[in-house]
Amino acid sequence: MMSTTDRRTLIVDAAIDLIATQGLRAMTHRALDTALALPAGSASYYFRSKRALVEAIVDRITARSRTDFAAAQLAPSGPLAPEAIARGIAAWLDRLLAERRNQLIARHALILDLLSDADMHTRLANSLFSAARARDLFHALGVADPDGTAADFIAVLEGAVFDRFAGARAHLAPGTEDSLRQLTVALATFFRGALP
């Protein structure tokens, strides 16, 4: 028998998939019951309102992002060579695009939908990349303004991710050498421009 926590997670993951494949308006309690072949009213039993469901989605995406980011080996172990750093971060982005595509799409849809909700918007907007880790990296690289450069770099990362699932480069399949090369070139270009 499935636990309450497992059922809630299953519903949240299905909601993320619905948003990613059919849009935010498609995410209803009834649609979730149908998608999961649950008895009518199941999704609303676990999440009484759409707001409660959206909060759970934000929590899920944020928690998964923190776990993935903490596990990622993004800190260079040797010399701080821009090309090597760019390739390491590109490989991480490529994995995100391969393994969490629906979460990335749902995140962007919700970021736009939650513009007027300062708390949840901020949580989602800051959920994918760590400003503190980016600042530490640029500080270690000797950049004069590590805070500003970190913010600019995160903007580049956000743009690169969006471009790959909804932009001109959506045709590039993650997990391929072409995908990794494209991301590496974009990030290395930023590093070359940002470094003293």
Side-chain angles (χ1 to χ4, degrees), residues 6-111:
D6 290 342
R7 180 72 54 95
R8 289 176 62 85
T9 300
L10 184 70
I11 292 169
V12 169
D13 286 344
I16 289 168
D17 290 342
L18 268 175
I19 293 169
T21 59
Q22 298 178 37
L24 198 52
R25 289 193 177 132
M27 187 201 65
T28 65
H29 288 93
R30 181 177 293 168
L32 290 167
D33 290 341
T34 301
L36 295 169
L38 296 172
S42 294
S44 62
Y45 172 79
Y46 290 100
F47 301 98
R48 296 285 182 202
S49 65
K50 187 170 184 177
R51 168 79 182 187
L53 183 55
V54 169
E55 287 176 356
I57 292 168
V58 171
D59 290 344
R60 178 92 167 130
I61 290 172
T62 302
R64 175 72 191 271
S65 293
R66 283 188 189 135
T67 300
D68 285 356
F69 198 82
Q73 300 298 317
L74 299 179
S77 56
L80 298 174
E83 293 292 334
I85 296 168
R87 187 159 177 90
I89 295 172
W92 174 69
L93 284 178
D94 191 62
R95 277 192 308 278
L96 283 181
L97 289 161
E99 297 169 6
R100 295 183 53 206
R101 184 177 193 277
N102 282 358
Q103 281 194 3
L104 295 171
I105 293 169
R107 175 181 174 263
H108 274 82
L110 287 168
I111 283 173

Side-chain angles (χ1 to χ4, degrees), residues 79-141:
L80 298 174
E83 293 292 334
I85 296 168
R87 187 159 177 90
I89 295 172
W92 174 69
L93 284 178
D94 191 62
R95 277 192 308 278
L96 283 181
L97 289 161
E99 297 169 6
R100 295 183 53 206
R101 184 177 193 277
N102 282 358
Q103 281 194 3
L104 295 171
I105 293 169
R107 175 181 174 263
H108 274 82
L110 287 168
I111 283 173
L112 292 174
D113 192 62
L114 296 170
L115 280 171
S116 62
D117 185 322
D119 175 54
M120 284 209 294
H121 179 267
T122 300
R123 286 174 54 208
L124 269 180
N126 295 315
S127 68
L128 200 54
F129 306 110
S130 167
R133 296 242 330 242
R135 185 175 47 249
D136 291 347
L137 172 63
F138 289 108
H139 178 72
L141 289 168

